[in-house]
Structure formats: C-alpha cells, structure tokens
Amino acid sequence: MIRLDGAVACVTGGARGIGRATAGALAARGAQVWIGDIDLAAAQETAAEIGAHAAHLDVTAPGSFAEFLIAAATSGPVDILVNNAGIMRLAPFLDLDLAGHHREMAINVGGVINGMSLALPGMVARGQGHIVNVASMAAKVTTPGAAVYCASKFAVGALSRAVRAELAGTGVTLTTVMPAAVHTELTSGVNLKLQPTLQPREVGEAIADTVRHRRSEVTIPRWLAPMGTVEQGIPETALRAVKRQFVGRDPGQYDQQQRRSYLDRIQR
Ligand SMILES: NC(=O)c1ccc[n+]([C@@H]2O[C@H](COP(=O)([O-])OP(=O)(O)OC[C@H]3O[C@@H](n4cnc5c(N)ncnc54)[C@H](O)[C@@H]3O)[C@@H](O)[C@H]2O)c1
C-alpha cells in the first residue's frame, strides 16, 4: 500500500494539461508533488498554484531526468512516477520532417524508458512504488495523420505490459492509462465532434485513483476498453472503410492554423 498522504510523487510534463490535472489531484490527496517540465516557467506557475515543487526536466535526456529525480528525493524516496510528458504532431507521415518524427518518439517513448530506468531500481530495492505510463487510445487504435504518435503510444503500451510482468512480486506496480481525446492544447484545432472527449480533471483523478487500485490498464472512458480487440479483429480494409465514415477519407480533421501556437511551443 502507498498512502498518498505524504507520498512523494513526480509528474513529467506537469506544467499544463493532463499532467497539471494529475499533479493537482495528487497534491489534493496529500502527496508531495514534483512537477518536471521542459517549460520551467509554466511548471513553476502551476506548482505555486497547486502547492507543488517544480524543476526543469527534458525527459529525452537521461542526465536531466536523473537530476529531476534527485531533486524530488529531497522530499523523501520517490513513491510514484507519472510518465506523462508527450507531444502529438498531425499530418500525413511523408509531410512531416524526419527529425521531428524521431523527436516525437524520443519524448513519447524515450521519456518513458528513461523514467522507468531511473526510478525503478530504487522502488524495487525498497519493495514499494508505483509507475503510471500515460499512453492513449492511440495505443489501441491507429489513425492516419497520426502515424508516429500512434506508433509511440503502441510502444508505450507494449513496453508497459512487458515491464509490468517483470515487476510481478517486487511490490512495485505499473499502470498504463489510455485516455480518449482530452481538451488540452495538444488537441487544439482537432475536430473532436465524433469522438468521446474528456476534461483533463477527469483523467487526473483517474490517474490518482490508480495508486489505490493498481490496475494494469485503465481506459478512460472505461467502455472503450474493447477497442483494441476491434482494431485487431476486423480485416484492415473493412476497418479503414468504417473509419472513413467517422474521420473522412484523409487525415484532415484538424486545422493546422488553429494548432499553430501548440506547434510553435513543441518545436521550441
Ligand atoms: N490531449 C489528449 O487528447 C490526450 C489523449 C490521450 C493521451 N494523451 C497523452 O497525455 C500526455 C499529456 O498530454 P496533454 O494533452 O496534457 O499535452 P499538453 O501539451 O497540454 O502538456 C504536455 C506537457 O509536456 C511538456 N513536455 C513536452 N515535451 C517535454 C519534454 N521533452 N520533457 C518534459 N516535458 C515536456 C510540455 O511542456 C507540456 O507542459 C501526453 O503523453 C499525451 O500523448 C493526451
């Protein structure tokens, strides 16, 4: 059991969006929260608002991640790590630059690998700890126009399953969280009309709940859990025809102009 009251919890990408909501939910339940974000000014502002600590973190750099965890450990041994930082670029695969594809993988997958590699040894040695890896419904369902994002989230799902099996019996747990579309800057300019949508607060509360129930995989909303079976079970051409009914022929259900400020931010 991890008692959230007094527990030390680290949230990557906690300056805004789902990470901010998660940090807020954990702090409200009594945890000593450390927000790590590449945007230090925003992280400090959020931390001041919710009663947390803030530090600079680039999840793609193991040295930066190690420094973040060392800073958090000044509050006590790290009990909880939420690997949340992530970006989403939208456009046909060939229209996006190659360096950007690799950067997206480095943040969305590399960041999770870095976080687990650095936080798990201490947790396993203490026989206590909890990791949350924030994937997405894109870990179960592929969408044209988000090829590398989907690849990164499928990778987080697979990585989490395998590591979870290795952790069995150590006292350390790992939950994969897979939310549907959430109203954050990441989805700015995306037409979400035909999809179930969530507010960051709902996801933050669901992530904080995992510390109590420690389920392996959490889909939000829960009724979307079978979507992976549908994706794998239906022949690809038939599935593509069905998806076209919902998202149109091409991956055009977003407005790149409305996404401008988000895209500028993730390129910095
Ligand atoms: N918004 C959605 O619809 C949705 C749905 C499912 C899953 N997710 C996942 O939830 C997570 C959070 O997404 P969000 O919607 O809150 O996005 P967001 O853009 O609102 O927040 C992401 C935060 O991560 C930080 N960040 C980016 N790169 C970083 C890096 N290299 N190191 C440290 N911090 C970095 C950003 O500065 C930002 O504060 C992501 O992993 C995303 O893929 C989002």
Side-chain angles (χ1 to χ4, degrees):
M1 277 290 289
I2 297 174
R3 282 174 46 83
L4 263 176
D5 198 11
V8 178
C10 295
V11 182
T12 73
R16 55 174 69 75
I18 293 169
R20 177 194 166 105
T22 301
L26 291 166
R29 298 181 196 197
Q32 304 179 73
V33 177
W34 280 78
I35 291 172
D37 203 289
I38 200 156
D39 185 344
L40 179 60
Q44 286 170 330
E45 204 174 307
T46 296
E49 282 167 22
I50 66 171
H53 305 273
H56 178 265
L57 166 66
D58 179 354
V59 294
T60 68
S64 171
F65 217 133
E67 279 175 28
F68 169 58
L69 292 173
I70 288 167
T74 57
S75 296
V78 174
D79 298 296
I80 299 153
L81 170 63
V82 182
N83 286 309
N84 162 77
I87 63 168
M88 180 174 77
R89 302 187 323 147
L90 295 175
F93 177 74
L94 291 179
D95 292 355
L96 289 165
D97 65 296
L98 181 55
H101 285 325
H102 286 300
R103 171 104 182 124
E104 192 166 1
M105 290 299 283
I107 297 171
N108 295 4
V109 188
V112 178
I113 292 174
N114 287 336
M116 289 198 301
S117 300
L118 292 162
L120 278 173
M123 291 179 175
V124 170
R126 290 191 300 279
Q128 170 171 305
H130 181 58
I131 303 271
V132 178
N133 290 336
V134 180
S136 164
M137 278 310 297
K140 287 181 178 273
V141 177
T142 54
T143 311
V148 171
Y149 184 74
C150 291
S152 73
K153 295 302 181 180
F154 266 69
V156 170
L159 175 71
S160 304
R161 274 190 169 226
V163 173
R164 189 161 39 244
E166 294 174 15
L167 289 173
T170 63
V172 181
T173 46
L174 193 167
T175 300
T176 315
V177 171
M178 290 171 281
V182 187
H183 290 286
T184 67
E185 288 175 27
L186 180 141
T187 53
S188 56
V190 180
N191 182 350
L192 300 173
K193 266 193 214 136
L194 294 170
Q195 301 184 37
T197 58
L198 302 157
Q199 293 301 329
R201 187 185 40 78
E202 299 172 73
V203 182
E205 295 293 340
I207 290 174
D209 285 347
T210 69
V211 181
R212 177 179 40 79
H213 62 65
R214 313 275 192 108
R215 280 205 292 273
S216 300
E217 294 189 343
V218 172
T219 305
I220 318 170
R222 210 168 174 171
W223 59 267
L224 283 178
M227 286 308 289
T229 313
V230 173
E231 174 92 8
Q232 297 298 322
I234 297 180
E236 201 172 319
T237 43
L239 190 62
R240 208 181 305 153
V242 174
K243 283 184 188 174
R244 272 185 200 151
Q245 298 300 314
F246 286 95
V247 296
R249 185 174 180 80
D250 296 313
Q253 297 296 303
Y254 47 84
D255 181 334
Q256 244 23 328
Q257 273 321 102
Q258 285 179 33
R259 288 181 64 69
R260 190 75 278 156
S261 76
Y262 170 73
L263 294 172
D264 288 346
R265 166 163 69 76
I266 65 172
Q267 265 152 32
R268 279 201 294 272

